[in-house]
């Protein structure tokens, strides 16, 4: 019986570690997407200013 409870404990531990890993990956990709969106907005603003100067 002790082996089963140890096995259950390790399964719970691996489940929690997996959830933490997924949370960390989600945070990293969300940060990358928000940075990419900000850079795209700034590049579009700069492109508009350049086009206005050329006109």
């Amino acid at each position: 019986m002790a082996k089963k409870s140890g096995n259950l404990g390790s399964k719970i531990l691996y489940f929690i570690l997996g959830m933490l890993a997924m949370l960390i990956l989600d945070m990293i990709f969300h940060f990358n997407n928000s940075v990419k969106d900000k850079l795209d907005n700034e590049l579009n603003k700069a492109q508009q200013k350049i086009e206005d100067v050329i006109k």
Side-chain angles (χ1 to χ4, degrees):
M1 292 298 276
K3 189 169 188 172
K4 280 191 173 184
S5 66
N7 193 12
L8 179 65
S10 65
K11 285 183 180 180
I12 292 172
L13 178 65
Y14 290 138
F15 177 74
I16 292 172
L17 288 175
M19 292 294 285
L20 286 174
M22 293 301 288
L23 177 66
I24 291 169
L25 288 172
D26 184 47
M27 289 170 58
I28 290 170
F29 287 118
H30 179 71
F31 176 75
N32 283 342
N33 286 339
S34 64
V35 169
K36 181 181 174 290
D37 291 341
K38 290 282 187 186
L39 284 175
D40 286 344
N41 287 340
E42 291 299 319
L43 288 173
N44 286 339
K45 287 180 188 176
Q47 184 178 2
Q48 278 292 57
K49 288 181 182 179
I50 291 171
E51 289 174 356
D52 289 345
V53 168
I54 291 174
K55 288 179 183 177

